[in-house]
Amino acid sequence: MADAILVVAADGRILRVNAAAVQLFGYSREEFADLSVEDLLPRRHRPNHAAQRARFTARPDSRAMGSGLELFAIRKDGVEFNVDISLSRLENGDVLATVYDITRRKRAEESLAAAREFSDSIIATMQESLLVLDADYRVVRANPAFFQTFRVGEEETVGRAFVEMHGGCWDFPEMRRLLVETLPSDHAVDAFEFRHEFPGIGSRYLRLNACRIVGSAEHRKLYLIALEDITARKTLESEQARMIRELERANEELKNFAYVVSHDLKAPLRAIGSLADWIGADQKERLDDEGQEHLRLLIQRVRRMDGLIDGILQYSRVGRVHETAVTVDLNQLVPEVIDSLAPPSHIRIEVAERLPVLRTERTRMLQLFQNLLSNAIRFMDKPEGLIRVDCAELDGSWRFSVKDNGPGIDPRHFERIFQLFQTLNPRDRVESTGVGLSIVKKIAEGLGGRVGVDSTPGQGSAFWFQLPKGSPDYKAASANPNDRRPGRDCRDPEARDGADSSHPCVLDAGNPCRHDGLAETSF
Amino acid sequence: MKVDCKTILLVEDDQVDAMTVKRALKELRVTNPLDHVENGEQALAHLREPGRAKPCIILLDLNMPIMTGIEFLQVAKADPALKRIPVIVLTTSEEQRDVVESFDLGVAGYMRKPVDYREFVDTVRSIDAYWTLSELPV
């Protein structure tokens, strides 16, 4: 839009106007003819204006634009607006006034001020230390967090060269590389972490992000540097790492301990066993019945201790040694286990018609069923024993159960029986090491599953274990390289890396677990 | 054993374990003379003694002081004069690592020492039966 131009007589009458003036003020040319220039001012400015006009007529120094005064005009419809005005005296004494509508500029200035206030309040509130550097790496601005964190004042910061300020403590090779190489190439610095010694606050871990401020002109680049003090986090992290290392070492020692103790206990035990045997054989004539009985008990206890030590070894092997996962068809494995246990003729064992085919460690599956089935057989107290192996799908898991009509277990013992070396019978009555169920528990939990028992005393027990069909826990556990670094088993041919043993129980397609019919296995 | 006159070398540090082997051999009427040394180093010295006839078989414990069974095997199986003598490991260790390492070093057998003496006799009986049938290098 063209500028509005008015020619005003020395007495204030409006002599001529252009089309832009008509449009700006809303008066027609005819109406302008009846107006004085004061009519174009808000009422409050009118009284002084005649005097100002007279002063200008007397001393006509041309009035330039933007001389700082807030000037207002009023339209015919009464709406005020911001204007800037330039005046020049014509030769005949009239005054040529050019009127600029600066409403838009005014609004832009106002919103700019608001935006600045907005960003200032953000910068001031931020916990991160912020620095704005110019192209010569002088500090243009810094926020309160910066001053607080580094315990420095504004006067020793703003306007200073970055690498020289604060006694040159920011001058170190990584920082120079950043300033000289990275920033000028307009690359952002993303999460650069470093540790540095600061005179006021000591050694700190800092995380630095930096970038060129978007919109800063090419000839006047500005860089924003954000610094986060991550000392506390780093300290915590290294503390955590140290604790994990200690735990791993303790765990490792424990594994080796079980191994070493077991082996070193066996040698003297064997000697005791042999010597007792020889005394029994060599001194047969000299020993009376009581002496023979004592030797028999001695040898029996040696065997028992041998069993306990084997139990410790077996228990410590679970989780220490990993086999390659293979396809394990439980429809074959379970009858094999039953066969190997050779159950007495008064015990009948039923197996679900279809058991799943899993991809997992074969030995672990063997141990699970072996331990549960041998317990069910060993403790059977009924003249017609019935044991049933079953499987069901439950919440994305396989739930296997071994149910018997044996003596049953009092619920208050449910927890105890899964602990190492815990038995409910005197060992002389039922020879048992108390390791089996703890191995079942360790295996099932190692595969990301759980174990449990339901029982009615006098009527029987149902031991169950539940294995997830594909357990992420177990994957994570065996992907850990530490699992392959046990004391003595590191070159165990059974031990494979995590990739092989990481699929605990994957069902082969097309072989669902059905338990709608039971088939008796033949013995 | 096949060659009755040849000796059996027992490398074993535990006195009772050594007695066990001797007693079991006697019980099984194995008539070969038995030399007993207490660790790998003594075994090597014994085997390399000039003029001494080589044993027909070596019964080797693994866990011994000064020089273990595995260390003994590493030396013996690299020695052309010793490497053909069959070695049977007799040990407490069930660790797969020991089994694998022993067979890598060319042992002829790996037997676990049972805690029960009667079982031990059975083990030695099997060893004797096998080496009575098997051909041995002369």
Side-chain angles (χ1 to χ4, degrees):
Chain A
M1 190 171 97
D3 298 327
I5 295 170
L6 302 90
V7 178
V8 181
D11 61 1
R13 275 181 306 116
I14 295 169
L15 304 175
R16 276 160 58 199
V17 295
N18 68 353
V22 171
Q23 208 181 343
L24 180 62
F25 286 94
Y27 295 106
S28 67
R29 285 177 199 273
E30 292 72 35
E31 286 168 322
F32 266 120
D34 295 331
L35 294 175
S36 91
V37 74
E38 276 75 29
D39 294 320
L40 301 180
L41 302 181
R43 207 163 287 276
R44 61 185 186 279
H45 293 302
R46 284 177 192 169
N48 292 329
H49 193 258
Q52 284 163 2
R53 184 157 42 77
R55 204 155 50 240
F56 183 79
T57 314
R59 263 183 64 236
D61 43 351
S62 308
R63 187 181 185 285
M65 305 296 293
S67 50
L69 275 173
E70 281 251 288
L71 300 177
F72 295 92
I74 191 162
R75 289 161 52 94
K76 184 187 174 188
D77 58 14
V79 174
E80 274 187 40
F81 57 105
N82 288 98
V83 291
D84 206 347
I85 294 171
S86 83
L87 302 173
S88 51
R89 224 189 89 171
L90 301 175
E91 281 182 12
N92 63 0
D94 294 340
V95 174
L96 182 80
T98 313
V99 181
Y100 305 92
D101 180 357
I102 59 165
T103 311
R104 267 206 212 146
R105 200 182 79 202
K106 270 281 172 198
R107 284 201 189 129
E109 277 173 12
E110 275 163 23
S111 64
L112 200 66
R116 195 184 164 83
E117 208 170 294
F118 177 70
S119 64
D120 279 358
S121 68
I122 290 176
I123 289 168
T125 325
M126 272 190 69
Q127 296 289 307
E128 260 184 315
S129 301
L130 297 179
L131 281 177
V132 178
L133 304 185
D134 65 15
D136 299 323
Y137 311 123
R138 279 184 186 282
V139 178
V140 179
R141 278 187 75 183
N143 72 340
F146 180 87
F147 300 129
Q148 277 159 24
T149 305
F150 297 98
R151 301 211 188 123
V152 289
E154 186 162 3
E155 65 288 346
E156 50 182 328
T157 306
V158 176
R160 306 292 177 117
F162 182 59
V163 293
E164 287 165 15
M165 68 178 189
H166 311 148
C169 76
W170 295 95
D171 189 2
F172 51 95
E174 291 103 317
M175 193 58 78
R176 285 221 168 234
R177 203 155 41 242
L178 178 87
L179 297 179
V180 176
E181 290 169 22
T182 314
L183 280 183
S185 62
D186 281 354
H187 285 101
V189 177
D190 188 26
F192 164 56
E193 292 183 3
F194 62 98
R195 191 191 177 96
H196 188 61
E197 190 77 25
F198 293 93
I201 56 173
S203 178
R204 289 297 159 114
Y205 261 112
L206 296 177
R207 181 192 182 84
L208 183 148
N209 286 284
C211 62
R212 182 178 160 196
I213 292 175
V214 180
S216 64
E218 194 60 39
H219 62 276
R220 198 176 158 268
K221 287 182 180 176
L222 289 175
Y223 301 114
L224 178 71
I225 294 183
L227 292 155
E228 190 187 349
D229 185 351
I230 54 169
T231 312
R233 201 190 76 202
K234 280 281 174 189
T235 313
L236 202 70
E237 275 175 9
S238 67
E239 179 69 6
Q240 272 175 344
R242 191 184 59 76
M243 282 164 74
I244 288 170
R245 273 197 308 278
E246 268 180 18
L247 259 172
E248 281 170 349
R249 201 167 49 233
N251 202 24
E252 204 55 42
E253 273 171 13
L254 210 63
K255 285 172 179 174
N256 289 335
F257 182 76
Y259 173 84
V260 170
V261 164
S262 306
H263 278 265
D264 290 357
L265 287 179
K266 278 233 172 174
L269 188 66
R270 199 168 48 239
I272 296 168
S274 296
L275 293 167
D277 189 278
W278 302 341
I279 293 169
D282 298 350
Q283 316 291 327
K284 202 168 185 165
E285 307 308 318
R286 277 191 251 173
L287 283 169
D288 57 11
D289 286 354
E290 198 183 4
Q292 291 284 359
E293 173 64 6
H294 289 172
L295 272 179
R296 192 190 62 78
L297 288 172
L298 178 62
I299 291 171
Q300 191 197 53
R301 295 306 190 273
V302 166
R303 287 191 191 132
R304 185 179 298 164
M305 185 156 168
D306 186 45
L308 290 173
I309 293 171
D310 281 343
I312 296 179
L313 270 176
Q314 274 179 34
Y315 185 80
S316 83
R317 273 178 84 89
V318 176
R320 187 161 60 100
V321 179
H322 288 295
E323 285 177 17
T324 313
V326 293
T327 304
V328 178
D329 185 351
L330 295 179
N331 299 294
Q332 285 176 11
L333 183 131
V334 173
E336 270 175 39
V337 169
I338 294 169
D339 220 27
S340 73
L341 294 172
S345 54
H346 72 283
I347 297 176
R348 200 158 56 106
I349 303 184
E350 292 176 345
V351 181
E353 193 184 54
R354 294 288 292 273
L355 292 171
V357 177
L358 308 175
R359 189 154 181 85
T360 186
E361 292 178 57
R362 189 181 154 81
T363 307
R364 303 286 164 256
M365 288 299 125
L366 269 174
Q367 284 174 304
L368 286 170
F369 286 103
Q370 228 162 36
N371 281 303
L372 293 184
L373 282 165
S374 68
N375 277 355
I377 293 169
R378 189 184 313 140
F379 295 102
M380 179 56 70
D381 60 347
K382 306 290 187 300
E384 281 187 29
L386 179 65
I387 298 168
R388 189 165 121 172
V389 179
D390 226 326
C391 172
E393 272 187 86
L394 194 77
D395 308 329
S397 296
W398 296 117
R399 186 188 166 104
F400 298 95
S401 58
V402 175
K403 194 178 173 193
D404 62 59
N405 63 343
I409 297 159
D410 193 316
R412 69 197 165 95
H413 299 310
F414 283 3
E415 288 268 335
R416 180 208 304 269
I417 54 174
F418 287 100
Q419 290 166 14
L420 197 58
F421 296 146
Q422 293 293 328
T423 56
L424 298 178
N425 293 286
R427 285 202 167 88
D428 286 332
R429 203 173 310 149
V430 183
E431 199 63 50
S432 154
T433 56
V435 175
L437 285 179
S438 61
I439 287 179
V440 169
K441 182 175 157 79
K442 199 173 172 185
I443 292 174
E445 287 176 357
L447 293 169
R450 350 186 253 122
V451 291
V453 60
D454 304 312
S455 180
T456 313
Q459 295 186 18
S461 313
F463 282 88
W464 54 265
F465 60 95
Q466 207 168 314
L467 302 178
K469 288 181 181 176
S471 157
D473 285 359
Y474 184 59
K475 261 176 209 169
S478 52
N480 182 347
N482 293 327
D483 280 8
R484 301 184 56 216
R485 208 165 30 80
R488 315 233 343 186
D489 261 14
C490 51
R491 282 198 272 156
D492 192 325
E494 297 164 25
R496 294 288 188 273
D497 59 6
D500 282 345
S501 54
S502 61
H503 15 55
C505 314
V506 182
L507 176 70
D508 276 10
N511 197 348
C513 168
R514 286 205 342 251
H515 43 92
D516 46 356
L518 291 173
E520 265 187 60
T521 46
S522 51
F523 315 113
Chain B
M1 301 279 165
K2 186 143 186 148
V3 192
D4 280 354
C5 54
K6 277 201 166 185
T7 55
I8 296 169
L9 177 63
L10 173 64
V11 191
E12 170 65 74
D13 65 314
D14 188 295
Q15 196 197 343
V16 180
D17 278 352
M19 282 166 70
T20 311
V21 173
K22 286 176 196 167
R23 190 176 168 112
L25 288 171
K26 195 171 145 197
E27 206 170 314
L28 295 167
R29 300 184 209 296
V30 177
T31 51
N32 305 54
L34 184 122
D35 289 338
H36 173 211
V37 293
E38 289 184 343
N39 61 56
E41 211 169 81
Q42 283 182 12
L44 286 174
H46 181 89
L47 289 165
R48 286 168 173 167
E49 206 172 289
R52 190 190 287 280
K54 300 283 178 274
C56 64
I57 203 161
I58 298 170
L59 300 178
L60 179 71
D61 185 24
L62 288 187
N63 191 10
M64 291 179 294
I66 302 172
M67 186 189 244
T68 67
I70 296 289
E71 287 165 343
F72 166 79
L73 284 170
Q74 283 162 350
V75 178
K77 290 300 177 184
D79 185 338
L82 305 179
K83 68 178 185 187
R84 284 195 204 91
I85 308 170
V87 178
I88 293 169
V89 173
L90 259 180
T91 181
T92 310
S93 171
E94 283 177 85
E95 286 298 305
Q96 280 299 308
R97 190 185 96 138
D98 287 336
V99 180
V100 168
E101 221 161 353
S102 298
F103 277 99
D104 280 350
L105 288 165
V107 297
Y110 191 102
M111 304 285 190
R112 208 188 132 212
K113 294 176 190 167
V115 163
D116 192 287
Y117 172 69
R118 291 292 129 203
E119 282 178 47
F120 193 88
V121 173
D122 288 342
T123 304
V124 177
R125 181 179 294 136
S126 308
I127 295 172
D128 178 48
Y130 181 80
W131 291 104
T132 302
L133 289 173
S134 173
E135 292 292 332
L136 286 168
V138 184

